[in-house]
Amino acid sequence: ATEGGYIQLDAEKDASGNYELHIPGWSDIHSSTPVTAIARTSATEPYLNAGRMMVGNYKERTHKLNIVSLVGKLDDSYKTEAEKALNSIYGRVGVTYEVTLSVFDNDSIKRTILNDGLSIGADKESRWKVETKEMRAIRSLYSNSLEIDKNAAYLFVVNHPEEEEYRNSVDGDMPRNQSVGYLFKDNINDGKLGRLIAHELGHG
């Protein structure tokens, strides 16, 4: 449907009987366009409304992701796998990512906070939803040394969680609606890194 009425969209039928619909892009962003399917049982019957969906129109955006290692230099695959996965998954909705990789060498973090791993447990009610005391301490120490970009997301790489119940089973943690998350290097398997990063950013 348009302001002037309706336009008919082109569709192609494949060998399995499925239709591929070609929906054009619209000039107005932050708006939605209704797409209605109509059908009839014969050429003499009237058309019936067979379904409807709304297609959202959004402006293309570029986000920044900083992957910061707290456990020494990382392989360049952290950057390449992250960009590949993020731009494949989020690129479908016009979102691309610029990824940077760096090391933050801080004695307080290594000797005190990460001495036995990163605490992620909080309490059972708020687990996965809020930052733990150790997470807040890392963010504070990092921001005291380097300026945090408020328009970027951060994933800090540490070795493993502190809690025994999570030690070998949790690959990452990004508290809900936060811009800072964590990846657990010891638990990341080959081929899993890119999708894990995209998953954690989805939480944040």
Side-chain angles (χ1 to χ4, degrees), residues 16-27:
S16 301
N18 299 312
Y19 286 90
E20 182 176 311
L21 188 65
H22 301 277
I23 303 174
W26 308 101
S27 59

Side-chain angles (χ1 to χ4, degrees), residues 104-139:
F104 183 56
D105 192 8
N106 183 283
D107 285 340
S108 294
I109 291 176
K110 287 191 295 187
R111 294 178 183 175
T112 306
I113 301 173
L114 297 182
N115 182 49
D116 53 359
L118 176 68
S119 175
I120 64 172
D123 57 80
K124 299 229 180 246
E125 186 67 28
S126 59
R127 185 172 49 193
W128 317 122
K129 298 177 184 177
V130 300
E131 291 181 301
T132 64
K133 182 179 178 180
E134 290 188 352
M135 290 177 180
R136 290 193 298 270
I138 288 174
R139 183 160 52 84

